[in-house]
Amino acid sequence: MQEILKKINDLKLIPAYSKHDQLVQGIINAIDEKMVTAGGRLPTINEVIGKLGFARETVVKGYKDLIRRGIVESKGRKGYFVTNGDTGQIAKVALLMYLMDSFQEQFYQSFRTELGQKVHIDIFFHHGNINIFETIMNMVKGKYSMYVISPIPHPKTRELLNSIPRARLIMFDRFEQLDGEFNYVCQEFEKASYKAFAELADNIKKFDEIIFFHTKDSLDPVEIIKSYKKFAKDFGVKASIKPRYISGSVSNRKVYFSLNNAELWEILNDCKAAKLKPGRDIGILSHNDEPVKKLVADGITTYSTDFKLMGKKAAQAILMREPIHEIIPTTLAKRKSL
Protein backbone atom coordinates (compact mmCIF):
# COMPACT_ATOMS: atom_id res chain seq x y z
CA MET A 1 0.00 0.00 0.00
CA GLN A 2 2.88 2.36 0.82
CA GLU A 3 4.35 1.76 -2.65
CA ILE A 4 1.11 2.88 -4.30
CA LEU A 5 0.94 6.01 -2.15
CA LYS A 6 4.58 6.77 -3.04
CA LYS A 7 3.79 6.44 -6.76
CA ILE A 8 1.00 9.01 -6.34
CA ASN A 9 3.20 11.32 -4.25
CA ASP A 10 6.10 11.18 -6.72
CA LEU A 11 3.98 12.90 -9.36
CA LYS A 12 3.77 16.12 -7.31
CA LEU A 13 7.14 16.98 -8.88
CA ILE A 14 5.42 17.42 -12.26
CA PRO A 15 4.12 21.04 -12.28
CA ALA A 16 1.41 20.37 -14.90
CA TYR A 17 -0.24 17.66 -12.74
CA SER A 18 -3.14 18.58 -10.49
CA LYS A 19 -3.76 16.47 -7.38
CA HIS A 20 -6.52 14.71 -9.36
CA ASP A 21 -4.00 13.88 -12.10
CA GLN A 22 -1.48 12.69 -9.49
CA LEU A 23 -3.97 10.25 -7.97
CA VAL A 24 -5.26 8.83 -11.26
CA GLN A 25 -1.90 8.55 -13.02
CA GLY A 26 -0.14 7.38 -9.87
CA ILE A 27 -2.51 4.43 -9.51
CA ILE A 28 -2.21 3.64 -13.23
CA ASN A 29 1.58 3.69 -12.91
CA ALA A 30 1.40 1.36 -9.90
CA ILE A 31 -0.77 -1.08 -11.88
CA ASP A 32 1.52 -0.90 -14.92
CA GLU A 33 4.54 -1.68 -12.71
CA LYS A 34 2.67 -4.66 -11.17
CA MET A 35 2.68 -3.16 -7.67
CA VAL A 36 -0.99 -4.10 -7.60
CA THR A 37 -2.85 -6.48 -9.94
CA ALA A 38 -6.47 -7.28 -10.80
CA GLY A 39 -8.36 -7.95 -7.56
CA GLY A 40 -5.84 -6.03 -5.46
CA ARG A 41 -6.97 -3.44 -2.92
CA LEU A 42 -6.10 0.24 -3.37
CA PRO A 43 -5.63 2.89 -0.67
CA THR A 44 -8.87 4.00 0.97
CA ILE A 45 -10.07 7.57 0.71
CA ASN A 46 -9.04 8.20 4.31
CA GLU A 47 -5.57 6.71 3.72
CA VAL A 48 -4.96 9.05 0.79
CA ILE A 49 -6.23 12.02 2.79
CA GLY A 50 -4.17 11.11 5.88
CA LYS A 51 -0.91 10.21 4.12
CA LEU A 52 -0.90 12.69 1.20
CA GLY A 53 -3.11 15.52 2.43
CA PHE A 54 -5.48 15.42 -0.55
CA ALA A 55 -8.99 16.88 -0.23
CA ARG A 56 -11.74 14.28 0.08
CA GLU A 57 -13.51 15.67 -2.99
CA THR A 58 -10.32 15.24 -5.06
CA VAL A 59 -9.88 11.62 -4.00
CA VAL A 60 -13.53 10.72 -4.61
CA LYS A 61 -13.44 12.35 -8.07
CA GLY A 62 -10.19 10.56 -8.92
CA TYR A 63 -11.57 7.15 -8.02
CA LYS A 64 -14.76 7.89 -10.00
CA ASP A 65 -12.57 8.66 -13.00
CA LEU A 66 -10.76 5.32 -12.66
CA ILE A 67 -14.10 3.53 -12.29
CA ARG A 68 -15.37 5.13 -15.53
CA ARG A 69 -12.27 3.86 -17.30
CA GLY A 70 -13.05 0.34 -16.16
CA ILE A 71 -9.76 0.08 -14.22
CA VAL A 72 -11.15 0.27 -10.68
CA GLU A 73 -14.35 -0.81 -8.93
CA SER A 74 -15.86 0.14 -5.59
CA LYS A 75 -17.01 -2.61 -3.24
CA GLY A 76 -18.89 -0.46 -0.78
CA ARG A 77 -17.31 -0.39 2.68
CA LYS A 78 -14.57 -2.81 1.62
CA GLY A 79 -12.91 -0.08 -0.46
CA TYR A 80 -11.55 0.22 -3.99
CA PHE A 81 -10.08 -2.64 -6.01
CA VAL A 82 -8.33 -3.06 -9.36
CA THR A 83 -10.61 -4.67 -11.97
CA ASN A 84 -8.49 -4.37 -15.11
CA GLY A 85 -4.71 -4.72 -15.10
CA ASP A 86 -4.53 -3.71 -18.77
CA THR A 87 -4.61 0.07 -18.45
CA GLY A 88 -3.63 0.43 -22.13
CA GLN A 89 -7.03 -0.88 -23.23
CA ILE A 90 -9.49 1.88 -22.51
CA ALA A 91 -12.50 -0.38 -22.19
CA LYS A 92 -14.20 -3.61 -23.04
CA VAL A 93 -17.71 -2.71 -24.15
CA ALA A 94 -20.94 -4.69 -24.23
CA LEU A 95 -23.29 -3.15 -26.84
CA LEU A 96 -26.95 -4.22 -26.57
CA MET A 97 -29.02 -3.23 -29.59
CA TYR A 98 -32.55 -3.93 -30.84
CA LEU A 99 -31.38 -5.37 -34.16
CA MET A 100 -28.99 -4.44 -36.95
CA ASP A 101 -31.27 -2.48 -39.27
CA SER A 102 -29.96 0.32 -41.46
CA PHE A 103 -30.17 3.16 -38.93
CA GLN A 104 -28.85 1.06 -36.02
CA GLU A 105 -25.95 0.19 -38.32
CA GLN A 106 -25.31 3.93 -38.74
CA PHE A 107 -25.01 4.17 -34.95
CA TYR A 108 -22.69 1.16 -34.75
CA GLN A 109 -20.33 2.23 -37.56
CA SER A 110 -19.94 5.70 -36.06
CA PHE A 111 -19.51 4.23 -32.54
CA ARG A 112 -16.93 1.70 -33.75
CA THR A 113 -14.94 4.27 -35.76
CA GLU A 114 -14.84 6.81 -32.94
CA LEU A 115 -13.68 4.30 -30.33
CA GLY A 116 -10.86 3.01 -32.50
CA GLN A 117 -9.24 -0.40 -32.46
CA LYS A 118 -7.95 -0.33 -28.86
CA VAL A 119 -11.48 -0.84 -27.55
CA HIS A 120 -13.04 -4.30 -27.75
CA ILE A 121 -16.80 -4.39 -28.51
CA ASP A 122 -19.13 -7.37 -28.17
CA ILE A 123 -22.54 -6.85 -29.83
CA PHE A 124 -25.78 -8.45 -28.62
CA PHE A 125 -29.31 -8.14 -30.09
CA HIS A 126 -32.41 -8.37 -27.91
CA HIS A 127 -35.03 -7.76 -30.69
CA GLY A 128 -37.30 -5.97 -28.23
CA ASN A 129 -37.92 -9.26 -26.39
CA ILE A 130 -37.69 -8.85 -22.62
CA ASN A 131 -36.78 -12.52 -22.06
CA ILE A 132 -33.85 -12.27 -24.47
CA PHE A 133 -32.91 -8.91 -22.92
CA GLU A 134 -32.88 -10.43 -19.42
CA THR A 135 -30.83 -13.43 -20.57
CA ILE A 136 -28.21 -11.17 -22.18
CA MET A 137 -28.07 -8.88 -19.15
CA ASN A 138 -27.47 -11.80 -16.80
CA MET A 139 -24.81 -13.16 -19.14
CA VAL A 140 -22.79 -9.93 -19.52
CA LYS A 141 -23.18 -8.51 -16.00
CA GLY A 142 -19.84 -7.94 -14.29
CA LYS A 143 -17.76 -8.89 -17.35
CA TYR A 144 -17.37 -5.53 -19.12
CA SER A 145 -15.93 -2.11 -18.42
CA MET A 146 -18.84 -0.33 -20.12
CA TYR A 147 -22.40 -1.27 -21.06
CA VAL A 148 -24.04 0.65 -23.92
CA ILE A 149 -27.69 -0.40 -23.97
CA SER A 150 -30.81 0.39 -25.98
CA PRO A 151 -33.55 -0.38 -23.42
CA ILE A 152 -36.97 -1.98 -23.87
CA PRO A 153 -40.12 -0.23 -22.56
CA HIS A 154 -41.02 -2.91 -20.01
CA PRO A 155 -41.55 -3.06 -16.21
CA LYS A 156 -38.52 -5.37 -15.81
CA THR A 157 -36.13 -3.05 -17.63
CA ARG A 158 -35.42 -0.71 -14.72
CA GLU A 159 -34.51 -3.60 -12.39
CA LEU A 160 -32.17 -5.09 -14.99
CA LEU A 161 -30.45 -1.78 -15.73
CA ASN A 162 -30.05 -1.07 -12.02
CA SER A 163 -27.83 -4.16 -11.79
CA ILE A 164 -25.17 -2.29 -13.81
CA PRO A 165 -23.01 0.29 -11.95
CA ARG A 166 -24.18 3.72 -13.09
CA ALA A 167 -20.67 4.86 -14.06
CA ARG A 168 -20.44 1.93 -16.50
CA LEU A 169 -23.86 2.36 -18.14
CA ILE A 170 -24.74 4.47 -21.19
CA MET A 171 -28.34 4.24 -22.36
CA PHE A 172 -28.78 4.99 -26.07
CA ASP A 173 -31.54 5.37 -28.67
CA ARG A 174 -34.64 4.93 -26.48
CA PHE A 175 -34.94 6.52 -23.05
CA GLU A 176 -36.18 4.78 -19.92
CA GLN A 177 -36.26 6.76 -16.67
CA LEU A 178 -34.10 5.44 -13.83
CA ASP A 179 -33.76 6.77 -10.30
CA GLY A 180 -30.91 9.18 -9.68
CA GLU A 181 -28.28 10.24 -12.20
CA PHE A 182 -27.40 7.99 -15.13
CA ASN A 183 -25.75 8.33 -18.54
CA TYR A 184 -27.77 8.52 -21.74
CA VAL A 185 -27.59 9.69 -25.35
CA CYS A 186 -31.07 9.14 -26.78
CA GLN A 187 -33.75 10.43 -29.10
CA GLU A 188 -37.10 11.86 -28.05
CA PHE A 189 -40.27 10.67 -29.79
CA GLU A 190 -43.40 12.42 -28.52
CA LYS A 191 -42.65 16.13 -28.91
CA ALA A 192 -40.44 15.53 -31.96
CA SER A 193 -43.15 13.55 -33.77
CA TYR A 194 -45.84 16.13 -33.03
CA LYS A 195 -43.56 18.93 -34.26
CA ALA A 196 -42.88 17.06 -37.52
CA PHE A 197 -46.60 16.37 -38.11
CA ALA A 198 -47.45 20.01 -37.36
CA GLU A 199 -44.83 21.31 -39.80
CA LEU A 200 -46.27 19.01 -42.48
CA ALA A 201 -49.92 19.84 -41.71
CA ASP A 202 -50.49 21.97 -44.83
CA ASN A 203 -48.96 19.27 -47.04
CA ILE A 204 -51.02 16.52 -45.40
CA LYS A 205 -54.25 18.52 -45.75
CA LYS A 206 -53.84 18.54 -49.54
CA PHE A 207 -54.85 14.86 -49.40
CA ASP A 208 -58.04 13.22 -48.15
CA GLU A 209 -56.62 11.16 -45.30
CA ILE A 210 -53.41 10.08 -43.55
CA ILE A 211 -52.98 6.40 -42.70
CA PHE A 212 -50.48 5.19 -40.09
CA PHE A 213 -49.54 1.51 -40.14
CA HIS A 214 -48.98 0.19 -36.63
CA THR A 215 -49.63 -3.05 -34.73
CA LYS A 216 -49.98 -3.17 -30.96
CA ASP A 217 -47.35 -5.88 -30.57
CA SER A 218 -44.75 -4.04 -32.67
CA LEU A 219 -41.60 -2.29 -31.43
CA ASP A 220 -43.01 1.11 -32.47
CA PRO A 221 -42.55 3.77 -29.75
CA VAL A 222 -45.92 4.42 -28.10
CA GLU A 223 -45.06 8.13 -27.96
CA ILE A 224 -45.40 8.35 -31.75
CA ILE A 225 -48.93 6.93 -31.61
CA LYS A 226 -49.90 9.49 -28.94
CA SER A 227 -48.50 12.36 -31.02
CA TYR A 228 -50.22 11.12 -34.18
CA LYS A 229 -53.63 11.05 -32.47
CA LYS A 230 -53.11 14.47 -30.85
CA PHE A 231 -52.03 16.00 -34.16
CA ALA A 232 -55.10 14.66 -35.98
CA LYS A 233 -57.38 16.13 -33.30
CA ASP A 234 -55.61 19.50 -33.01
CA PHE A 235 -55.39 20.08 -36.77
CA GLY A 236 -58.72 18.56 -37.80
CA VAL A 237 -57.04 16.00 -40.05
CA LYS A 238 -58.79 12.79 -41.05
CA ALA A 239 -56.45 10.12 -39.74
CA SER A 240 -56.59 6.39 -39.18
CA ILE A 241 -54.37 3.61 -37.84
CA LYS A 242 -54.23 0.26 -39.62
CA PRO A 243 -52.34 -2.81 -38.44
CA ARG A 244 -50.42 -3.27 -41.67
CA TYR A 245 -50.26 -2.35 -45.33
CA ILE A 246 -52.07 -4.83 -47.57
CA SER A 247 -50.24 -5.45 -50.82
CA GLY A 248 -51.95 -3.81 -53.80
CA SER A 249 -54.16 -1.53 -51.68
CA VAL A 250 -52.43 1.78 -52.45
CA SER A 251 -55.05 4.43 -53.16
CA ASN A 252 -55.13 7.89 -54.69
CA ARG A 253 -55.44 10.97 -52.39
CA LYS A 254 -54.02 9.20 -49.31
CA VAL A 255 -50.93 9.92 -47.19
CA TYR A 256 -49.15 6.79 -45.97
CA PHE A 257 -47.03 6.95 -42.81
CA SER A 258 -44.93 3.93 -41.92
CA LEU A 259 -42.07 3.13 -39.51
CA ASN A 260 -41.32 -0.08 -41.39
CA ASN A 261 -38.93 0.01 -44.34
CA ALA A 262 -40.19 -3.22 -45.88
CA GLU A 263 -43.69 -1.74 -45.86
CA LEU A 264 -42.39 1.48 -47.42
CA TRP A 265 -40.76 -0.36 -50.32
CA GLU A 266 -43.99 -2.33 -50.91
CA ILE A 267 -46.04 0.88 -51.07
CA LEU A 268 -43.59 2.39 -53.55
CA ASN A 269 -43.67 -0.75 -55.68
CA ASP A 270 -47.48 -0.64 -55.76
CA CYS A 271 -47.37 3.06 -56.67
CA LYS A 272 -45.24 2.23 -59.69
CA ALA A 273 -47.63 -0.54 -60.77
CA ALA A 274 -50.69 1.74 -60.34
CA LYS A 275 -48.93 4.71 -62.00
CA LEU A 276 -49.42 6.87 -58.91
CA LYS A 277 -46.75 9.49 -58.31
CA PRO A 278 -45.67 10.16 -54.69
CA GLY A 279 -46.13 13.83 -53.87
CA ARG A 280 -48.76 14.33 -56.54
CA ASP A 281 -51.24 11.45 -56.33
CA ILE A 282 -50.36 10.13 -52.87
CA GLY A 283 -48.21 11.29 -49.96
CA ILE A 284 -45.54 9.29 -48.14
CA LEU A 285 -43.95 9.99 -44.75
CA SER A 286 -41.28 7.76 -43.22
CA HIS A 287 -39.51 7.66 -39.85
CA ASN A 288 -35.71 7.31 -39.59
CA ASP A 289 -33.74 8.76 -42.45
CA GLU A 290 -31.04 6.96 -44.44
CA PRO A 291 -29.21 7.71 -47.72
CA VAL A 292 -31.47 5.60 -49.95
CA LYS A 293 -34.55 7.61 -48.92
CA LYS A 294 -33.00 10.71 -50.45
CA LEU A 295 -32.83 8.95 -53.82
CA VAL A 296 -35.95 6.80 -54.34
CA ALA A 297 -39.16 8.37 -55.72
CA ASP A 298 -37.37 11.73 -56.06
CA GLY A 299 -36.92 11.76 -52.28
CA ILE A 300 -38.95 10.40 -49.34
CA THR A 301 -39.99 12.88 -46.65
CA THR A 302 -38.65 11.71 -43.29
CA TYR A 303 -38.14 12.86 -39.74
CA SER A 304 -35.25 11.33 -37.89
CA THR A 305 -32.59 11.69 -35.26
CA ASP A 306 -28.91 11.60 -36.27
CA PHE A 307 -27.77 8.07 -35.44
CA LYS A 308 -24.21 8.77 -36.57
CA LEU A 309 -23.99 11.65 -34.11
CA MET A 310 -25.53 9.48 -31.39
CA GLY A 311 -22.89 6.80 -31.93
CA LYS A 312 -20.10 9.38 -31.94
CA LYS A 313 -21.35 11.00 -28.70
CA ALA A 314 -21.63 7.64 -26.91
CA ALA A 315 -18.09 6.72 -27.95
CA GLN A 316 -16.68 10.09 -26.89
CA ALA A 317 -18.26 9.72 -23.46
CA ILE A 318 -16.35 6.44 -23.05
CA LEU A 319 -13.07 7.83 -24.38
CA MET A 320 -13.25 11.04 -22.33
CA ARG A 321 -14.51 9.18 -19.24
CA GLU A 322 -17.14 11.86 -18.80
CA PRO A 323 -20.85 11.64 -17.89
CA ILE A 324 -23.30 12.26 -20.73
CA HIS A 325 -26.92 13.38 -20.52
CA GLU A 326 -28.00 14.26 -24.03
CA ILE A 327 -31.06 14.07 -26.27
CA ILE A 328 -30.05 14.11 -29.94
CA PRO A 329 -32.37 16.46 -31.90
CA THR A 330 -34.84 15.18 -34.47
CA THR A 331 -34.77 16.74 -37.93
CA LEU A 332 -37.52 16.91 -40.53
CA ALA A 333 -36.36 16.37 -44.12
CA LYS A 334 -39.04 17.67 -46.52
CA ARG A 335 -38.79 15.93 -49.86
CA LYS A 336 -41.01 15.40 -52.89
CA SER A 337 -42.99 12.43 -51.51
CA LEU A 338 -45.02 14.85 -49.35
Side-chain angles (χ1 to χ4, degrees):
M1 197 64 66
Q2 292 301 318
E3 287 182 316
I4 300 172
L5 291 168
K6 186 177 184 304
K7 274 292 171 187
I8 298 169
N9 195 49
D10 285 348
L11 295 177
K12 71 181 181 182
L13 300 175
I14 302 176
Y17 273 27
S18 66
K19 283 185 165 59
H20 173 270
D21 296 330
Q22 290 175 40
L23 176 68
V24 171
Q25 193 58 50
I27 289 174
I28 288 173
N29 290 347
I31 295 170
D32 287 343
E33 294 178 28
K34 309 300 181 185
M35 292 178 180
V36 59
T37 56
R41 190 174 76 84
L42 295 167
T44 65
I45 292 173
N46 288 335
E47 284 173 336
V48 178
I49 293 170
K51 298 291 184 180
L52 302 181
F54 285 18
R56 180 174 293 274
E57 183 181 355
T58 299
V59 182
V60 170
K61 186 177 178 181
Y63 271 127
K64 282 184 176 179
D65 192 347
L66 289 164
I67 289 169
R68 288 192 190 101
R69 299 189 191 197
I71 297 169
V72 170
E73 67 176 338
S74 171
K75 294 186 178 180
R77 293 183 180 181
K78 291 182 180 180
Y80 295 91
F81 295 78
V82 177
T83 57
N84 185 1
D86 181 10
T87 59
Q89 179 165 301
I90 297 170
K92 183 179 178 184
V93 177
L95 176 62
L96 276 68
M97 310 177 77
Y98 267 79
L99 48 101
M100 189 60 88
D101 53 23
S102 56
F103 50 90
Q104 294 274 317
E105 185 174 0
Q106 290 177 49
F107 172 93
Y108 171 74
Q109 293 297 342
S110 175
F111 183 69
R112 169 75 279 176
T113 300
E114 191 71 18
L115 283 180
Q117 295 306 310
K118 291 182 74 174
V119 180
H120 177 84
I121 304 173
D122 285 335
I123 311 175
F124 305 88
F125 301 103
H126 57 66
H127 302 279
N129 184 305
I130 193 61
N131 294 322
I132 297 174
F133 185 80
E134 184 173 16
T135 299
I136 294 171
M137 290 292 289
N138 290 333
M139 181 174 62
V140 302
K141 188 168 55 179
K143 297 180 181 178
Y144 292 83
S145 304
M146 290 297 296
Y147 299 82
V148 182
I149 300 173
S150 184
I152 298 172
H154 191 278
K156 272 190 177 181
T157 297
R158 178 180 293 191
E159 177 188 347
L160 293 168
L161 292 179
N162 280 337
S163 68
I164 304 296
R166 291 296 169 84
R168 299 191 189 185
L169 171 66
I170 298 179
M171 185 186 299
F172 83 97
D173 190 8
R174 301 197 184 188
F175 181 89
E176 285 292 309
Q177 184 64 53
L178 303 178
D179 295 331
E181 189 172 300
F182 59 97
N183 295 309
Y184 60 85
V185 51
C186 298
Q187 60 177 314
E188 189 278 328
F189 294 101
E190 190 166 348
K191 292 179 182 178
S193 295
Y194 186 87
K195 184 173 183 289
F197 298 146
E199 288 187 33
L200 291 168
D202 289 343
N203 303 68
I204 293 170
K205 285 183 176 182
K206 292 176 182 177
F207 298 87
D208 296 336
E209 180 186 16
I210 180 169
I211 301 169
F212 176 25
F213 297 107
H214 160 73
T215 55
K216 291 182 179 180
D217 59 349
S218 74
L219 302 179
D220 300 344
V222 295
E223 298 92 337
I224 295 179
I225 291 88
K226 288 171 64 177
S227 294
Y228 178 79
K229 291 178 178 178
K230 184 176 182 341
F231 159 73
K233 182 179 179 181
D234 291 351
F235 285 81
V237 171
K238 184 180 179 183
S240 61
I241 298 176
K242 295 185 178 181
R244 65 187 180 280
Y245 174 73
I246 298 173
S247 182
S249 67
V250 68
S251 179
N252 195 17
R253 308 299 305 159
K254 307 287 186 184
V255 176
Y256 296 100
F257 172 41
S258 176
L259 279 62
N260 184 305
N261 277 351
E263 205 163 51
L264 172 63
W265 309 139
E266 191 171 10
I267 292 169
L268 287 171
N269 189 54
D270 286 349
C271 282
K272 185 176 181 180
K275 296 183 179 180
L276 296 174
K277 184 175 177 59
R280 183 192 67 194
D281 305 311
I282 71 161
I284 295 178
L285 173 62
S286 178
H287 190 238
N288 294 326
D289 201 18
E290 52 196 295
V292 69
K293 293 180 183 177
K294 300 175 185 179
L295 304 174
V296 298
D298 294 327
I300 301 297
T301 294
T302 66
Y303 73 98
S304 175
T305 195
D306 188 333
F307 290 97
K308 289 183 179 179
L309 179 60
M310 188 184 293
K312 183 176 182 178
K313 292 272 189 180
Q316 288 176 342
I318 293 173
L319 293 172
M320 301 300 291
R321 300 108 184 180
E322 292 180 349
I324 185 167
H325 313 109
E326 190 161 346
I327 299 295
I328 303 297
T330 295
T331 303
L332 173 65
K334 292 182 178 180
R335 302 189 181 111
K336 290 187 178 180
S337 73
L338 187 55

